[in-house]
Amino acid sequence: HLGMVTISHPFHPLQGQSFSLLSIREVNGLRRYSLQTDTGVVCVPETWTNHHAPITLPPSLSFDLLTLKELAQLLRTLEESLK
């Protein structure tokens, strides 16, 4: 028994329910969880569970609106200079 996992994917039919974690496997670079349900075992990507950490940008990569506008203008200028 590796603990409990809650399915958090909003469209999964078992969303919001918690199950025993039986095993963790890596498939094509992504972790998949095998969970024991009342009707058997289901396998879901880690990203569909509460164990998945949301992707956040480090503070050094956070941009305010003004910075993004300046970046967009710079890219337009560079693109025009390459024509």
Side-chain angles (χ1 to χ4, degrees), residues 21-61:
L21 177 58
L22 300 175
S23 68
I24 302 170
R25 294 185 335 166
E26 191 164 314
V27 178
N28 296 328
L30 300 174
R31 290 167 52 120
R32 297 190 63 83
Y33 289 3
S34 293
L35 308 175
Q36 179 65 56
T37 69
D38 293 339
T39 58
V41 176
V42 297
C43 188
V44 297
E46 179 182 48
T47 56
W48 290 12
T49 72
N50 64 322
H51 286 207
H52 174 65
I55 297 173
T56 58
L57 292 175
S60 62
L61 294 179

Side-chain angles (χ1 to χ4, degrees), residues 56-65 67-68:
T56 58
L57 292 175
S60 62
L61 294 179
S62 296
F63 300 107
D64 60 24
L65 185 56
T67 304
L68 289 174

